[in-house]
Every structure is written in structure tokens, then in C-alpha cells.
Amino acid sequence: MTLIQMYTDRAAACRREAEAATLVNVRDRCLGAAMAWESMAHRARETETYRANEVLRKAEQNAVPIEN
């Protein structure tokens, strides 16, 4: 399981807990936690994208042109 998947799963679990909650403060707490988990998943996705782009950029930067 990837870190992003764990964050996404936790967010979903918090949303399910919020739906099942009968108390408003419990529902609000669960929804807040779900938003936090979703934010962490979003940041992790952005980090993965940035790292992948950096690998490509560095590979292009270090590429030696082939002369004919």
C-alpha cells in the first residue's frame, strides 16, 4: 500500500464515520479529519509529480547529444 493510498483510505474511513455520527461535534470532527487526510494525499501526489519531473529534467540536462 502506498502512502497516498493510505491517506485516501483514512479520508474515506473518516467520511464514513461522519455519516454514521449522530452528534454534530463528532460529525464535524470526522469531516475535519477527512479533509486533513485528503490534503496530505494531495500534497503527496504533488510531491510524487515534482520528483518525477525532476528526474526527467536532470536526465535531459545530463543527456549527451548524439553527433551524426
Side-chain angles (χ1 to χ4, degrees):
M1 173 182 287
T2 67
L3 191 60
I4 294 171
Q5 186 61 47
M6 185 201 66
Y7 291 158
T8 304
D9 290 349
R10 286 300 305 139
C14 289
R15 291 214 177 271
R16 284 191 302 273
E17 290 172 21
E19 289 175 11
T22 55
L23 299 174
V24 174
N25 63 325
V26 173
R27 185 186 72 234
D28 290 346
R29 184 192 70 217
C30 291
L31 290 175
M35 289 188 330
W37 285 114
E38 288 164 354
S39 176
M40 286 186 275
H42 177 73
R43 281 182 280 165
R45 277 188 218 96
E46 286 181 333
T47 300
E48 274 190 1
T49 301
Y50 173 79
R51 287 180 179 161
N53 288 337
E54 277 298 294
V55 166
L56 290 174
R57 184 188 66 77
K58 288 179 181 180
E60 289 172 356
Q61 187 178 32
N62 294 330
V64 176
I66 300 174
E67 297 180 20
N68 291 330

